[in-house]
Amino acid sequence: MKKTLIAGLAASTLVLTLAGVGPALADSGRHQPINGSIRVDRQLETEYPAMAKISIEQAMAAALNSAPGTVLSVELDDEDRFLVYEVKIVGADKTITTKVTVDAGDGRILATKRERAER
């Protein structure tokens, strides 16, 4: 009898714990914070090119390695207070675009987001 009661309490605790975690897991599709290597605080956008450690060509090569296709645009920007290149790529089938966020300091891929191509 005690074993059944303990097992029941443990199962109830697990269900309640998962109920609290469920909404957090459902939100995981939202924007994930970027953690880059070059912090942007109060710099002007005009200072970004001098702050970047990799070139635009290196950022495009890293992005294309991650998502093959044709580069549509590249933007040097700050995201979550880190300096990044945002590279937009269209795939060979021309129906999917991929936004690849590349660290402007070391060329790491920080995020990838696929979307249907806009008309």
Side-chain angles (χ1 to χ4, degrees):
M1 176 77 172
K2 283 186 179 181
K3 288 182 182 180
T4 304
L5 181 60
I6 291 171
L9 287 174
S12 297
T13 303
L14 179 62
V15 168
L16 292 174
T17 302
L18 290 177
V21 171
L25 292 176
D27 290 342
S28 66
R30 289 186 180 172
H31 170 76
Q32 294 295 318
I34 297 296
N35 190 11
S37 62
I38 300 175
R39 193 93 154 122
V40 175
D41 290 312
R42 295 186 175 150
Q43 293 85 354
L44 300 172
E45 282 186 18
T46 55
E47 297 177 72
Y48 291 175
M51 294 171 61
K53 303 267 190 269
I54 67 167
S55 68
I56 195 169
E57 291 82 9
Q58 290 170 308
M60 289 189 314
L64 286 168
N65 230 6
S66 173
T70 303
V71 174
L72 294 175
S73 65
V74 180
E75 184 178 346
L76 184 59
D77 202 2
D78 79 278
E79 189 160 329
D80 296 333
R81 299 185 70 187
F82 290 99
L83 190 62
V84 298
Y85 286 99
E86 292 179 348
V87 183
K88 192 170 185 180
I89 298 170
V90 64
D93 67 357
K94 311 253 188 293
T95 62
I96 302 290
T97 60
T98 305
K99 179 180 138 189
V100 182
T101 305
V102 181
D103 187 291
D106 59 17
R108 282 180 300 131
I109 304 301
L110 300 175
T112 303
K113 182 179 179 185
R114 295 172 47 103
E115 302 175 324
R116 284 244 168 252
E118 295 176 9
R119 288 190 176 247

